[in-house]
Amino acid sequence: MRFEGKKVAVTGAASGIGEAIANAFAREGADVAFMDLDMDKVKKLAEAADGTNNIGIGVDVSDKASVESAFSEIEKTYGRLDVFVNCAGISIIVPMLECTEEIWDKTIDVNLKGTFLCMQNAVRIMDKQKSGSIICMSSQSGKVGGGAYQAYCASKFGVIGIVQSAAVEFAKEGIRINAVCPGVVLTPMWDKQVISYAKKRNIKPEEVMPYFESKIPMGRIGTLEEVVNVTFFLASDDSAYLTGQSLNVCGGQVM
Ligand code: NAD
């Protein structure tokens, strides 16, 4: 198994990409901390996942005390942390003139501050062992701005900034820090977004995905497995000489 005995933590593990990544690491032999705001769901998922040493931890990534308590539980349970995947995130499509201060603050708090707080706590553990790989979920919207998306784009561009800065700071400590930038991947995050996007483009909700596909050189949206595979690459020694990178997983839509 590819990650036998490795200690892995994943935020956003109750749904979509984070859930797929956490389950995939467990299938590959890792002990996995499933972390999410939805504590009941991560506890159930951790129990149901492959292996016997998985744990479910309720955490609000935008809250410093909650993040510190979650990582202290991980350190107490596993004693170390080999891979941390920063995946929790929210996305609200809203035209600029309708974007409230609350939407802006919430998006930045969860996606940007949350990424920083979790990374800071993961690094504290990894710095003691002088090794580790951190992978942050940015987005293709972290590379190219899309309309009606300012807070989300700002947060995801910012994630790449945090990744690059931290990668420089911890390269000599044996900690590699990279980002994954997915294009469109069908997850529960899209349930609400499809409606907002249809409204914005004045099309029917069922026309949204075909519209996206028409913009993607490969002609299709991405799969969870394709994001998992790139995350595995960044988590493993196959990417031993990569740090501070942000890899696009988007069928060629962003280069
Ligand atoms: P999702 O909505 O299916 O899952 C997000 C998870 O994050 C949920 O389980 C939610 O409970 C959790 N979460 C939200 N706020 C939290 C908080 N404050 N503390 C802890 N957990 C919190 O979304 P997804 O599509 O799986 O997205 C996962 C990540 O991938 C996000 O960062 C997203 O921006 C990024 N991404 C997704 C896509 C896509 O098309 N799905 C594309 C590019 C990037």
Side-chain angles (χ1 to χ4, degrees):
M1 282 192 281
R2 204 162 161 195
F3 294 100
E4 185 80 57
K6 296 284 184 199
K7 312 301 178 196
V8 174
V10 183
T11 65
S15 174
I17 294 173
E19 179 182 349
I21 290 171
N23 275 320
F25 271 112
R27 265 197 309 278
E28 289 296 332
D31 296 331
V32 182
F34 288 65
M35 306 166 76
D36 202 282
L37 206 51
D38 188 340
M39 181 156 64
D40 291 344
K41 183 129 186 244
V42 277
K43 290 218 182 276
K44 282 186 195 137
L45 286 170
E47 243 180 71
D50 289 334
T52 49
N53 293 321
N54 305 307
I55 48 173
I57 304 178
V59 64
D60 177 353
V61 297
S62 65
D63 182 278
K64 186 170 178 279
S66 170
V67 171
E68 282 174 0
S69 141
F71 278 86
S72 120
E73 187 176 341
I74 289 170
E75 196 174 16
K76 233 183 269 159
T77 309
Y78 294 143
R80 58 182 289 115
L81 184 60
D82 298 297
V83 177
F84 171 59
V85 185
N86 230 330
C87 197
I90 57 168
S91 166
I92 303 166
I93 295 176
V94 57
M96 178 180 268
L97 299 182
E98 290 163 32
C99 182
T100 59
E101 189 177 3
E102 195 192 354
I103 292 175
W104 176 270
D105 286 348
K106 175 99 183 142
T107 306
I108 299 297
D109 273 1
V110 176
N111 295 1
L112 195 56
K113 181 176 156 193
T115 293
F116 175 74
L117 289 176
C118 290
M119 186 190 289
Q120 190 180 43
N121 280 270
V123 156
R124 270 195 195 116
I125 303 175
M126 291 176 174
D127 196 32
K128 293 181 199 161
Q129 68 206 32
K130 299 292 176 205
S131 69
S133 173
I134 296 178
I135 298 126
C136 297
M137 219 39 75
S138 176
S139 167
Q140 71 178 16
S141 303
K143 294 282 186 76
V144 174
Y149 235 22
Q150 289 84 27
Y152 186 75
C153 286
S155 71
K156 295 299 184 179
F157 269 73
V159 165
I160 293 175
I162 297 173
V163 163
Q164 292 184 2
S165 170
V168 171
E169 193 170 338
F170 291 97
K172 290 219 168 62
E173 312 309 322
I175 306 170
R176 298 186 301 107
I177 304 172
N178 293 288
V180 176
C181 300
V184 177
V185 179
L186 213 48
T187 65
M189 182 176 263
W190 276 102
D191 293 350
K192 281 191 213 136
Q193 290 197 131
V194 162
I195 311 280
S196 321
Y197 212 89
K199 212 169 113 194
K200 182 188 141 202
R201 293 245 154 229
N202 211 12
I203 56 180
K204 294 188 189 126
E206 59 272 25
E207 291 168 340
V208 170
M209 285 301 152
Y211 168 79
F212 282 136
E213 283 168 348
S214 74
K215 304 273 171 207
I216 300 169
M218 283 189 178
R220 63 171 179 83
I221 60 170
T223 65
L224 290 170
E225 193 187 0
E226 286 161 341
V227 180
V228 168
N229 287 340
V230 176
T231 306
F232 273 6
F233 168 65
L234 291 173
S236 75
D237 288 343
D238 290 348
S239 61
Y241 198 46
L242 263 74
T243 197
Q245 305 304 309
S246 32
L247 304 186
N248 304 325
V249 187
C250 58
Q253 196 173 2
V254 169
M255 296 186 183

